[in-house]
Amino acid sequence: MSVSVAEMTEQDQLFEYTVRLGDNCVILGQRLAEWCGKSPVLEEELALMNVGLDLLGQARMLLDYAGKVEGAGRDEDKLAFFRDAQAWRNLLLVEQPNGDFAKTMSRQLFFDCFQFLQYQKLSNSADTKLAEIATKSLKEITYHVRHSSDWVIRLGDGTEESHQRMQKAVDELWGYTPEMFDMDAVDEAMLKSGVGVDLKEIEPAWKKMVEGVLSEATLNFPELTWQVRGSKEGKHTEHLGYLLAEMQFLPRAYPDANW
Amino acid sequence: MSETSTGELPLYEVFIRSKNGLHHKHVGSLHAADDEMALTNARDVYTRRSEGVSIWVVKAENIVASRPEDRGAFYEPNDDKMYRHPTFYNIPDEIGHM
Protein backbone atom coordinates (compact mmCIF):
# COMPACT_ATOMS: atom_id res chain seq x y z
CA MET A 1 0.00 0.00 0.00
CA SER A 2 2.98 2.31 -0.30
CA VAL A 3 2.09 3.01 -3.93
CA SER A 4 1.28 6.69 -4.46
CA VAL A 5 -2.10 7.44 -5.95
CA ALA A 6 -0.55 8.69 -9.18
CA GLU A 7 0.89 5.24 -9.76
CA MET A 8 -2.35 3.46 -9.00
CA THR A 9 -4.18 1.77 -11.82
CA GLU A 10 -7.93 2.12 -12.11
CA GLN A 11 -8.19 -1.39 -10.68
CA ASP A 12 -6.05 -0.41 -7.65
CA GLN A 13 -8.30 2.57 -7.04
CA LEU A 14 -11.48 0.53 -7.22
CA PHE A 15 -9.96 -1.99 -4.82
CA GLU A 16 -8.98 0.76 -2.39
CA TYR A 17 -12.39 2.38 -2.67
CA THR A 18 -14.27 -0.88 -2.07
CA VAL A 19 -12.05 -1.86 0.85
CA ARG A 20 -12.81 1.47 2.53
CA LEU A 21 -16.52 0.78 2.27
CA GLY A 22 -16.11 -2.79 3.47
CA ASP A 23 -13.78 -2.00 6.35
CA ASN A 24 -16.27 0.42 7.91
CA CYS A 25 -18.79 -2.41 8.03
CA VAL A 26 -16.39 -5.02 9.44
CA ILE A 27 -15.12 -2.83 12.25
CA LEU A 28 -18.46 -1.38 13.32
CA GLY A 29 -20.02 -4.83 13.10
CA GLN A 30 -17.28 -6.18 15.35
CA ARG A 31 -17.78 -3.34 17.83
CA LEU A 32 -21.49 -4.07 18.04
CA ALA A 33 -20.77 -7.77 18.54
CA GLU A 34 -18.84 -6.80 21.67
CA TRP A 35 -22.21 -5.96 23.24
CA CYS A 36 -23.27 -9.59 22.98
CA GLY A 37 -24.17 -10.82 26.44
CA LYS A 38 -23.69 -7.37 27.98
CA SER A 39 -26.53 -5.28 26.62
CA PRO A 40 -28.87 -3.41 28.97
CA VAL A 41 -31.91 -5.49 28.06
CA LEU A 42 -32.51 -8.60 25.99
CA GLU A 43 -34.63 -6.81 23.39
CA GLU A 44 -31.90 -4.26 22.72
CA GLU A 45 -29.21 -6.92 22.63
CA LEU A 46 -31.03 -8.60 19.77
CA ALA A 47 -31.44 -5.25 18.05
CA LEU A 48 -27.72 -4.50 18.33
CA MET A 49 -26.81 -7.95 17.05
CA ASN A 50 -29.21 -7.53 14.13
CA VAL A 51 -27.56 -4.26 13.15
CA GLY A 52 -24.10 -5.78 13.61
CA LEU A 53 -24.99 -8.79 11.48
CA ASP A 54 -26.42 -6.52 8.79
CA LEU A 55 -23.07 -4.74 8.72
CA LEU A 56 -21.15 -8.00 8.55
CA GLY A 57 -23.34 -9.09 5.66
CA GLN A 58 -22.53 -5.86 3.83
CA ALA A 59 -18.86 -6.30 4.68
CA ARG A 60 -18.81 -9.78 3.19
CA MET A 61 -20.27 -8.57 -0.11
CA LEU A 62 -17.87 -5.65 -0.28
CA LEU A 63 -14.69 -7.49 0.69
CA ASP A 64 -15.55 -10.41 -1.54
CA TYR A 65 -15.89 -7.96 -4.41
CA ALA A 66 -12.70 -6.14 -3.42
CA GLY A 67 -10.81 -9.43 -3.49
CA LYS A 68 -12.10 -10.16 -6.98
CA VAL A 69 -11.19 -6.66 -8.19
CA GLU A 70 -7.70 -7.09 -6.78
CA GLY A 71 -7.33 -10.49 -8.42
CA ALA A 72 -4.50 -11.54 -6.11
CA GLY A 73 -6.32 -14.49 -4.61
CA ARG A 74 -7.40 -12.76 -1.40
CA ASP A 75 -10.97 -13.61 -0.45
CA GLU A 76 -13.16 -11.84 2.14
CA ASP A 77 -11.65 -13.85 5.01
CA LYS A 78 -8.08 -13.16 3.94
CA LEU A 79 -8.86 -9.46 3.80
CA ALA A 80 -10.66 -9.41 7.13
CA PHE A 81 -8.32 -11.59 9.16
CA PHE A 82 -4.87 -11.21 7.65
CA ARG A 83 -4.36 -7.47 7.40
CA ASP A 84 -2.65 -5.45 10.12
CA ALA A 85 -3.92 -2.10 11.39
CA GLN A 86 -2.00 0.00 8.87
CA ALA A 87 -3.73 -1.78 6.00
CA TRP A 88 -7.22 -1.04 7.32
CA ARG A 89 -9.20 1.79 5.76
CA ASN A 90 -12.18 2.12 8.12
CA LEU A 91 -13.12 5.53 9.47
CA LEU A 92 -11.64 6.44 12.85
CA LEU A 93 -15.19 6.94 14.14
CA VAL A 94 -16.22 3.30 13.81
CA GLU A 95 -13.20 1.89 15.65
CA GLN A 96 -13.86 3.99 18.76
CA PRO A 97 -14.67 1.84 21.80
CA ASN A 98 -18.28 1.16 22.77
CA GLY A 99 -18.07 3.15 26.01
CA ASP A 100 -21.48 3.38 27.63
CA PHE A 101 -24.69 2.79 25.71
CA ALA A 102 -24.95 6.51 24.91
CA LYS A 103 -21.56 6.48 23.23
CA THR A 104 -22.43 3.39 21.21
CA MET A 105 -25.66 5.03 20.05
CA SER A 106 -23.99 8.32 19.24
CA ARG A 107 -21.35 6.57 17.12
CA GLN A 108 -24.11 4.58 15.48
CA LEU A 109 -26.22 7.63 14.67
CA PHE A 110 -23.27 9.46 13.11
CA PHE A 111 -22.33 6.47 10.99
CA ASP A 112 -25.87 5.36 10.09
CA CYS A 113 -26.75 8.81 8.74
CA PHE A 114 -23.48 8.97 6.83
CA GLN A 115 -23.84 5.49 5.38
CA PHE A 116 -27.47 6.17 4.45
CA LEU A 117 -26.55 9.25 2.40
CA GLN A 118 -23.42 7.64 0.96
CA TYR A 119 -25.25 4.50 -0.18
CA GLN A 120 -28.13 6.49 -1.60
CA LYS A 121 -25.63 8.01 -4.03
CA LEU A 122 -23.72 4.78 -4.41
CA SER A 123 -26.85 2.99 -5.55
CA ASN A 124 -26.48 5.01 -8.78
CA SER A 125 -22.82 4.08 -9.20
CA ALA A 126 -21.43 3.33 -12.64
CA ASP A 127 -20.02 0.20 -11.06
CA THR A 128 -22.99 -2.14 -11.19
CA LYS A 129 -21.75 -4.39 -8.40
CA LEU A 130 -21.32 -1.50 -5.97
CA ALA A 131 -24.68 -0.09 -7.04
CA GLU A 132 -26.28 -3.46 -6.39
CA ILE A 133 -24.70 -3.83 -2.93
CA ALA A 134 -25.72 -0.28 -2.00
CA THR A 135 -29.31 -0.80 -3.12
CA LYS A 136 -29.59 -4.03 -1.16
CA SER A 137 -28.03 -2.49 1.96
CA LEU A 138 -30.16 0.67 1.94
CA LYS A 139 -33.19 -1.10 3.36
CA GLU A 140 -31.12 -2.29 6.28
CA ILE A 141 -29.53 1.10 6.79
CA THR A 142 -32.92 2.82 6.77
CA TYR A 143 -33.82 0.72 9.77
CA HIS A 144 -30.46 1.38 11.44
CA VAL A 145 -31.04 5.13 11.18
CA ARG A 146 -34.45 4.74 12.76
CA HIS A 147 -33.06 2.59 15.56
CA SER A 148 -30.15 4.86 16.50
CA SER A 149 -32.20 8.06 16.10
CA ASP A 150 -34.89 6.66 18.40
CA TRP A 151 -32.33 5.91 21.08
CA VAL A 152 -30.52 9.22 20.88
CA ILE A 153 -33.86 11.03 21.17
CA ARG A 154 -35.01 8.83 24.04
CA LEU A 155 -31.80 9.21 26.01
CA GLY A 156 -31.28 12.89 25.23
CA ASP A 157 -34.86 13.72 26.12
CA GLY A 158 -34.92 11.20 28.96
CA THR A 159 -33.71 11.55 32.51
CA GLU A 160 -31.15 14.05 33.74
CA GLU A 161 -28.46 11.38 33.74
CA SER A 162 -29.28 9.96 30.32
CA HIS A 163 -29.33 13.48 28.89
CA GLN A 164 -25.94 14.24 30.38
CA ARG A 165 -24.42 10.99 29.14
CA MET A 166 -25.85 11.46 25.67
CA GLN A 167 -24.53 15.00 25.36
CA LYS A 168 -21.11 13.86 26.57
CA ALA A 169 -21.05 11.02 24.02
CA VAL A 170 -21.99 13.31 21.15
CA ASP A 171 -19.35 15.85 22.17
CA GLU A 172 -16.64 13.22 22.57
CA LEU A 173 -17.13 11.71 19.13
CA TRP A 174 -17.71 14.92 17.22
CA GLY A 175 -14.05 15.41 16.29
CA TYR A 176 -14.06 12.10 14.40
CA THR A 177 -16.89 13.12 12.08
CA PRO A 178 -15.21 15.61 9.69
CA GLU A 179 -13.01 12.79 8.37
CA MET A 180 -16.07 11.11 6.88
CA PHE A 181 -16.30 13.84 4.25
CA ASP A 182 -12.65 14.00 3.22
CA MET A 183 -12.03 13.55 -0.50
CA ASP A 184 -8.57 12.26 -1.34
CA ALA A 185 -7.16 11.46 -4.79
CA VAL A 186 -8.80 8.02 -4.84
CA ASP A 187 -12.19 9.52 -4.03
CA GLU A 188 -11.76 12.17 -6.69
CA ALA A 189 -10.75 9.62 -9.32
CA MET A 190 -13.68 7.36 -8.43
CA LEU A 191 -16.07 10.31 -8.50
CA LYS A 192 -14.77 11.31 -11.92
CA SER A 193 -15.38 7.86 -13.35
CA GLY A 194 -18.92 7.85 -11.98
CA VAL A 195 -18.20 5.05 -9.53
CA GLY A 196 -17.73 6.99 -6.32
CA VAL A 197 -19.69 9.40 -4.20
CA ASP A 198 -19.05 13.12 -3.69
CA LEU A 199 -18.62 13.13 0.07
CA LYS A 200 -18.46 16.92 0.22
CA GLU A 201 -21.89 17.03 -1.35
CA ILE A 202 -23.48 14.84 1.33
CA GLU A 203 -21.93 16.73 4.25
CA PRO A 204 -24.67 19.39 4.55
CA ALA A 205 -27.38 16.74 4.32
CA TRP A 206 -25.65 14.75 7.06
CA LYS A 207 -25.44 17.78 9.32
CA LYS A 208 -29.09 18.49 8.76
CA MET A 209 -30.08 14.93 9.52
CA VAL A 210 -28.00 14.76 12.70
CA GLU A 211 -29.05 18.23 13.79
CA GLY A 212 -32.70 17.22 13.45
CA VAL A 213 -32.20 14.25 15.76
CA LEU A 214 -30.10 16.17 18.27
CA SER A 215 -32.57 19.00 18.51
CA GLU A 216 -35.47 16.59 19.02
CA ALA A 217 -33.32 14.97 21.69
CA THR A 218 -32.90 18.40 23.36
CA LEU A 219 -29.13 18.06 22.84
CA ASN A 220 -26.75 20.80 21.79
CA PHE A 221 -25.22 20.60 18.35
CA PRO A 222 -21.52 20.28 19.27
CA GLU A 223 -18.90 22.79 18.34
CA LEU A 224 -15.91 21.49 16.46
CA THR A 225 -12.99 22.24 18.78
CA TRP A 226 -10.64 19.49 17.54
CA GLN A 227 -10.57 16.91 14.77
CA VAL A 228 -8.50 13.94 13.71
CA ARG A 229 -8.19 12.09 10.44
CA GLY A 230 -5.87 9.63 8.77
CA SER A 231 -7.72 6.38 8.12
CA LYS A 232 -7.39 6.79 4.36
CA GLU A 233 -3.63 6.42 4.77
CA GLY A 234 -3.98 3.67 7.37
CA LYS A 235 -3.29 5.93 10.33
CA HIS A 236 -5.58 4.79 13.10
CA THR A 237 -6.26 5.46 16.74
CA GLU A 238 -4.75 3.03 19.23
CA HIS A 239 -8.10 1.25 19.63
CA LEU A 240 -8.03 -0.52 16.27
CA GLY A 241 -5.06 -2.74 17.15
CA TYR A 242 -6.82 -4.22 20.17
CA LEU A 243 -9.98 -4.81 18.20
CA LEU A 244 -8.06 -6.59 15.44
CA ALA A 245 -6.09 -8.66 17.95
CA GLU A 246 -9.30 -10.08 19.32
CA MET A 247 -11.03 -10.42 15.97
CA GLN A 248 -8.11 -11.96 14.11
CA PHE A 249 -6.65 -14.21 16.77
CA LEU A 250 -8.43 -17.42 15.87
CA PRO A 251 -7.87 -17.46 12.10
CA ARG A 252 -4.25 -16.46 12.63
CA ALA A 253 -3.61 -19.12 15.26
CA TYR A 254 -5.42 -21.77 13.26
CA PRO A 255 -5.29 -20.77 9.60
CA ASP A 256 -7.80 -22.55 7.38
CA ALA A 257 -9.63 -23.95 10.41
CA ASN A 258 -13.10 -25.26 9.60
CA TRP A 259 -16.17 -25.68 11.73
CA MET B 1 -39.33 6.53 30.27
CA SER B 2 -42.19 4.99 32.18
CA GLU B 3 -41.20 2.22 34.51
CA THR B 4 -43.25 -0.11 36.65
CA SER B 5 -42.78 -0.21 40.39
CA THR B 6 -40.43 -3.18 39.97
CA GLY B 7 -38.10 -1.03 37.87
CA GLU B 8 -38.86 -3.02 34.74
CA LEU B 9 -40.12 -1.50 31.54
CA PRO B 10 -43.79 -2.21 30.79
CA LEU B 11 -44.74 -5.57 29.31
CA TYR B 12 -46.15 -5.78 25.79
CA GLU B 13 -47.74 -8.69 23.98
CA VAL B 14 -46.75 -9.23 20.38
CA PHE B 15 -48.92 -10.45 17.51
CA ILE B 16 -47.53 -11.21 14.08
CA ARG B 17 -49.23 -11.78 10.78
CA SER B 18 -47.05 -14.21 8.89
CA LYS B 19 -48.65 -13.71 5.47
CA ASN B 20 -51.18 -11.37 3.95
CA GLY B 21 -54.60 -12.92 4.30
CA LEU B 22 -53.77 -14.78 7.50
CA HIS B 23 -54.69 -13.39 10.89
CA HIS B 24 -52.34 -12.01 13.52
CA LYS B 25 -51.17 -14.62 15.97
CA HIS B 26 -49.78 -14.18 19.44
CA VAL B 27 -46.05 -14.96 19.37
CA GLY B 28 -44.77 -13.78 22.74
CA SER B 29 -44.06 -10.75 24.82
CA LEU B 30 -41.35 -8.17 25.50
CA HIS B 31 -40.50 -5.13 27.58
CA ALA B 32 -40.39 -1.62 26.11
CA ALA B 33 -40.57 1.96 27.32
CA ASP B 34 -43.36 2.96 24.95
CA ASP B 35 -45.43 1.85 21.98
CA GLU B 36 -42.89 2.88 19.37
CA MET B 37 -40.06 1.03 21.07
CA ALA B 38 -42.31 -1.98 21.54
CA LEU B 39 -42.87 -2.09 17.80
CA THR B 40 -39.18 -1.89 16.88
CA ASN B 41 -38.27 -4.38 19.61
CA ALA B 42 -40.91 -6.75 18.26
CA ARG B 43 -39.38 -6.40 14.83
CA ASP B 44 -35.94 -7.20 16.21
CA VAL B 45 -36.96 -10.02 18.51
CA TYR B 46 -39.71 -11.77 16.58
CA THR B 47 -39.26 -11.20 12.84
CA ARG B 48 -35.54 -11.77 12.30
CA ARG B 49 -36.21 -15.03 10.49
CA SER B 50 -38.80 -13.51 8.17
CA GLU B 51 -41.72 -14.54 10.33
CA GLY B 52 -43.96 -11.64 9.50
CA VAL B 53 -45.44 -8.97 7.28
CA SER B 54 -47.34 -7.10 9.99
CA ILE B 55 -46.91 -6.59 13.71
CA TRP B 56 -49.34 -5.62 16.45
CA VAL B 57 -48.11 -4.76 19.90
CA VAL B 58 -50.37 -4.06 22.83
CA LYS B 59 -49.62 -3.30 26.44
CA ALA B 60 -50.26 -6.45 28.43
CA GLU B 61 -52.19 -4.43 31.02
CA ASN B 62 -54.67 -3.40 28.33
CA ILE B 63 -55.66 -6.95 27.59
CA VAL B 64 -58.79 -8.03 29.40
CA ALA B 65 -58.57 -11.75 30.02
CA SER B 66 -60.99 -14.29 31.40
CA ARG B 67 -60.02 -15.79 34.72
CA PRO B 68 -59.41 -19.49 35.32
CA GLU B 69 -62.09 -19.51 38.03
CA ASP B 70 -64.69 -18.38 35.47
CA ARG B 71 -64.22 -21.64 33.68
CA GLY B 72 -67.33 -23.30 35.03
CA ALA B 73 -69.68 -20.45 34.17
CA PHE B 74 -68.04 -19.48 30.91
CA TYR B 75 -67.32 -22.71 29.11
CA GLU B 76 -68.76 -25.80 30.71
CA PRO B 77 -72.43 -25.09 29.82
CA ASN B 78 -71.46 -25.50 26.18
CA ASP B 79 -69.99 -28.96 26.60
CA ASP B 80 -73.34 -30.74 26.28
CA LYS B 81 -74.71 -28.69 23.40
CA MET B 82 -73.45 -30.77 20.56
CA TYR B 83 -76.19 -29.41 18.28
CA ARG B 84 -74.22 -26.17 18.00
CA HIS B 85 -71.62 -28.02 15.98
CA PRO B 86 -72.53 -28.44 12.34
CA THR B 87 -71.74 -32.15 12.53
CA PHE B 88 -75.20 -33.43 11.66
CA TYR B 89 -75.05 -32.57 7.98
CA ASN B 90 -74.02 -34.99 5.30
CA ILE B 91 -71.37 -33.38 3.18
CA PRO B 92 -71.48 -34.44 -0.46
CA ASP B 93 -68.30 -36.24 -1.55
CA GLU B 94 -67.50 -33.67 -4.23
CA ILE B 95 -67.08 -30.96 -1.59
CA GLY B 96 -64.03 -32.79 -0.33
CA HIS B 97 -62.32 -31.63 2.80
CA MET B 98 -63.96 -28.74 4.61
Side-chain angles (χ1 to χ4, degrees), chain A residues 41-44 46-47 49-50 53 143 146-147 150-151 154-155, chain B residues 1 9 29-31 33-34 36-37 39-41 43-45 48:
Chain A
V41 289
L42 178 139
E43 290 83 350
E44 184 50 29
L46 279 165
M49 296 311 113
N50 285 349
L53 286 173
Y143 188 79
R146 175 171 169 169
H147 173 254
D150 273 0
W151 270 113
R154 247 167 241 296
L155 294 173
Chain B
M1 290 182 201
L9 296 173
S29 53
L30 51 79
H31 292 277
D34 58 31
E36 194 53 34
M37 190 196 275
L39 198 58
T40 50
N41 281 351
R43 181 263 187 195
D44 282 318
V45 177
R48 41 206 310 267

Side-chain angles (χ1 to χ4, degrees), chain A residues 92-160:
Chain A
L92 300 182
L93 174 73
V94 299
E95 72 198 31
Q96 296 312 302
N98 287 339
D100 60 7
F101 191 69
K103 192 157 182 185
T104 293
M105 277 307 125
S106 169
R107 184 185 63 199
Q108 201 62 39
L109 174 73
F110 294 164
F111 181 75
D112 290 344
C113 293
F114 169 74
Q115 198 191 19
F116 178 76
L117 296 164
Q118 184 187 33
Y119 279 41
Q120 255 185 349
K121 298 264 181 211
L122 197 63
S123 61
N124 298 316
S125 171
D127 186 294
T128 48
K129 186 70 190 172
L130 285 182
E132 195 183 292
I133 295 172
T135 305
K136 185 169 186 289
S137 308
L138 261 176
K139 282 185 194 153
E140 296 171 343
I141 301 166
T142 305
Y143 188 79
H144 301 172
V145 171
R146 175 171 169 169
H147 173 254
S148 53
S149 306
D150 273 0
W151 270 113
V152 170
I153 292 166
R154 247 167 241 296
L155 294 173
D157 193 16
T159 66
E160 202 178 310

Side-chain angles (χ1 to χ4, degrees), chain A residues 4 16 73 83 85 102 121 127 170 178 205 211 219-220 237 249 258:
Chain A
S4 83
E16 177 76 12
R83 274 183 302 149
K121 298 264 181 211
D127 186 294
V170 165
E211 200 167 13
L219 295 165
N220 296 324
T237 59
F249 165 75
N258 268 306

